[in-house]
Amino acid sequence: MMCGAFKFEWRKVFAAMAAAGSLAAVLVVAAFVTIAVPLAAPAANAADLNDQLINVAPNETSRYVRIGLNKSLIVRLPEAARDVLVSSPTKLDAVVRSARTIYLIGLEVGQTNVFFFDEEGRQILSLDVAVERDVGLLEDTLLRLMPGTEINVEALNDSLILTGSVSNAQQSRMAVDIAARFIAPSDGVTETDHGSASRVVNMLNIVGRDQVMLKVTIAELQRTILKQMGVDLAATLDIASTILSFASVNPFTLGNGNLSTTNLTGAHSSGGDSASGVIRALERDGLLRTLAEPTLTAISGETANFLAGGEFPVPVGSDDNGITIEFKPFGVGLGFTPIVLSEGRINLKVSTEVSELTTDGFSITGASASASLTIPGLRVRRASTTVELPSGGSLVMAGLIQEAHKQQLNGIPGIKDLPVLGTLFRSRDFQNEETELVVIITPYIVTPVGRDQLVTPELNLNLANDVQGYFMGHINRVYGVGNGASPDGAYHGSYGFMD
């Protein structure tokens, strides 16, 4: 920065002019003092904030230095300097205190170069300067707010790297939040504007990470009521050698067409005239119960997923060779991410889904008839939430109630709307579906156990031999108490012990 060198040389000229008593010289000196004093003041303040000093050896030509943001560095040269050149003045400012003492002030995070030249234009020193954030205050803040942790902070350009170890995931997340606040104010914006959290690299090691077991009960009840009632009439009349025929077929169009029906048929014939009628009626009550109790275990901060169901094909493209398909899952699904907080509390992000295939699908045909594919419909009930629970506490996600009421009339226009008589010329299709889903979640903080304390479902299972299977109808071997004593209480049915 050339202004520093000129300020130093012109000081002698101004002093000589002032000694000569020139009025112009006095005004110029006064103006220079007015400008120079504000320039020198920040350098003194910056030196007080960060008292760093480097003494350059006579044979030293280059050096790499670091300066804290808004901090200063004092450079003492082995010989007098005339010119000081800063490649990026927006990042670094140079204030010439004397011919051999220069203050460097970090203005903006980044890297730059500083060159020093003597009176003959020869290079005295070249400095590669990195302006970085002074993370000492951040390290002290983290140590004070989270005692017992070992967190080291390193600055890399405009980002921070956190290393060391913490006790749990909550402390790790808190350290990242504090570091994000440390970056944001320097930009004059909020964290949301520039996403300062994304400029914090979390390399903290969590010592003794807790494991969380999630026990989930998924219960669903579906009730379906279907009623169908319709009349089909057919008649043939012979009037003056003219035969007139009449027929009405009133279909059931609700629920993908007709279901199995109960018919009542009647017919009448007189001479050349005939009439027949069919009464179709159906009533169906359905109840579906879905119950799943998956149990998953995951490390604090990690995600676990569970699916009990299957996969069905979905077309994603087609060409001359056929249809390209992908398989999509369905069934009872569960995913959760636990974070163990202090005092045994667990922050839990849970998503659960119950899906099933339905007949409400569609069919597509490819280039050839053999490339046709029928895609079933998928009925989905999904819930997602984030909660905070103690270990062993339960939460119920209820209120997932759905009710669908459908009713449809088919018949001859005008006649079907007549009271009583219109019943013979129409069909009524009624359907009502009610669904309620309840999800109960219970997290536990668990620890590993010995292998001898674990059992499997097939423990002590011994299949029956051919004699027991053929003649006794046993699937597994059953035997009684050795001393002949019967078990306490009344029990109806086969009982005993599995070998």
Side-chain angles (χ1 to χ4, degrees):
M1 187 170 173
M2 299 297 295
C3 63
F6 289 139
K7 180 172 59 179
F8 165 67
E9 295 296 335
W10 280 101
R11 187 181 300 169
K12 297 180 180 179
V13 177
F14 292 154
M17 295 174 63
S22 172
L23 178 60
V26 173
L27 295 177
V28 172
V29 170
F32 173 78
V33 172
T34 304
I35 298 174
V37 170
L39 291 176
N45 295 337
D48 295 337
L49 293 175
N50 188 6
D51 189 13
Q52 293 184 355
L53 172 66
I54 60 171
N55 292 309
V56 182
N59 58 350
E60 187 175 2
T61 60
S62 62
R63 178 182 290 195
Y64 174 78
V65 295
R66 294 182 178 181
I67 301 178
L69 183 63
N70 299 323
K71 300 295 180 68
S72 65
L73 176 67
I74 303 175
V75 180
R76 295 190 185 275
L77 300 176
E79 54 183 291
R82 176 185 176 86
D83 297 326
V84 179
L85 176 63
V86 180
S87 62
S88 181
T90 59
K91 294 182 173 59
L92 186 71
D93 188 16
V95 178
V96 179
R97 182 66 175 175
S98 65
R100 296 188 178 186
T101 304
I102 294 91
Y103 289 171
L104 302 180
I105 305 174
L107 303 178
E108 183 181 331
V109 174
Q111 296 182 353
T112 184
N113 300 93
V114 183
F115 299 93
F116 303 89
F117 301 94
D118 60 11
E119 294 182 354
E120 298 180 0
R122 294 174 299 183
Q123 179 177 318
I124 302 174
L125 178 67
S126 172
L127 291 181
D128 292 330
V129 182
V131 181
E132 300 176 348
R133 302 180 188 276
D134 187 3
V135 297
L137 177 61
L138 178 58
E139 290 183 344
D140 295 340
T141 303
L142 293 175
L143 181 61
R144 184 179 72 256
L145 296 179
M146 293 181 290
T149 60
E150 298 180 1
I151 302 178
N152 301 318
V153 184
E154 296 183 12
L156 179 62
N157 293 332
D158 205 19
S159 302
L160 298 179
I161 302 176
L162 304 182
T163 59
S165 60
V166 293
S167 300
N168 50 57
Q170 183 188 18
Q171 291 183 342
S172 176
R173 185 176 58 181
M174 186 182 301
V176 173
D177 292 341
I178 295 175
R181 301 302 189 277
F182 180 79
I183 296 178
S186 64
D187 299 333
V189 296
T190 61
E191 178 185 352
T192 306
D193 295 330
H194 274 201
S196 57
S198 62
R199 291 184 285 163
V200 179
V201 181
N202 185 4
M203 299 182 63
L204 295 174
N205 181 31
I206 300 177
V207 180
R209 300 181 69 177
D210 296 315
Q211 298 185 82
V212 177
M213 181 184 70
L214 184 67
K215 185 176 181 181
V216 181
T217 300
I218 302 174
E220 181 184 27
L221 287 180
Q222 297 183 31
R223 184 183 180 186
T224 303
I225 300 177
L226 178 64
K227 296 180 180 180
Q228 294 178 338
M229 181 68 180
V231 178
D232 293 342
L233 297 178
T236 301
L237 301 177
D238 186 359
I239 303 176
S241 301
T242 302
I243 299 177
L244 300 177
S245 299
F246 168 80
S248 66
V249 179
N250 302 314
F252 298 120
T253 58
L254 193 61
N256 293 332
N258 294 340
L259 300 176
S260 59
T261 59
T262 301
N263 299 330
L264 179 60
T265 304
H268 174 73
S269 177
S270 175
D273 302 333
S274 63
S276 63
V278 179
I279 300 177
R280 297 183 298 169
L282 174 68
E283 181 174 354
R284 175 185 296 174
D285 293 335
L287 181 63
L288 175 62
R289 176 175 179 263
T290 302
L291 179 64
E293 293 185 335
T295 300
L296 295 177
T297 302
I299 298 176
S300 176
E302 301 296 333
T303 302
N305 295 283
F306 167 85
L307 176 65
E311 294 183 342
F312 67 99
V314 175
V316 295
S318 63
D319 52 24
D320 296 337
N321 297 326
I323 301 175
T324 303
I325 63 174
E326 288 184 358
F327 287 90
K328 301 296 182 180
F330 71 95
V332 179
L334 170 67
F336 82 105
T337 303
I339 297 178
V340 179
L341 308 178
S342 59
E343 299 179 358
R345 300 191 65 84
I346 303 173
N347 181 281
L348 201 62
K349 183 178 181 181
V350 184
S351 61
T352 181
E353 177 180 304
V354 179
S355 57
E356 60 182 335
L357 298 178
T358 66
T359 57
D360 301 331
F362 60 94
S363 299
I364 59 175
T365 304
S368 61
S370 60
S372 62
L373 182 65
T374 300
I375 309 300
L378 191 65
R379 183 181 292 113
V380 180
R381 281 82 66 200
R382 184 181 294 116
S384 179
T385 185
T386 301
V387 296
E388 184 175 320
L389 296 172
S391 179
S394 298
L395 176 70
V396 178
M397 292 188 295
L400 303 176
I401 301 175
Q402 179 182 0
E403 182 175 355
H405 177 85
K406 302 177 183 179
Q407 187 170 221
Q408 192 167 357
L409 295 177
N410 296 294
I412 300 176
I415 303 178
K416 70 179 182 63
D417 298 326
L418 296 176
V420 183
L421 183 60
T423 306
L424 302 176
F425 300 93
R426 67 171 178 252
S427 64
R428 178 176 181 266
D429 207 354
F430 173 83
Q431 185 175 353
N432 187 31
E433 296 180 352
E434 297 178 355
T435 301
E436 181 175 2
L437 177 65
V438 176
V439 181
I440 304 175
I441 57 176
T442 306
Y444 299 92
I445 297 178
V446 298
T447 56
V449 298
R451 180 63 180 85
D452 55 347
Q453 301 181 17
L454 303 177
V455 297
T456 60
E458 50 81 28
L459 181 66
N460 296 330
L461 175 62
N462 195 342
L463 298 179
N465 54 34
D466 293 341
V467 176
Q468 293 176 331
Y470 288 133
F471 297 102
M472 305 300 296
H474 292 170
I475 298 177
N476 54 274
R477 294 184 58 188
V478 179
Y479 60 91
V481 180
N483 57 9
S486 60
D488 296 335
Y491 181 82
H492 301 281
S494 301
Y495 60 89
F497 299 93
M498 289 184 295
D499 191 2

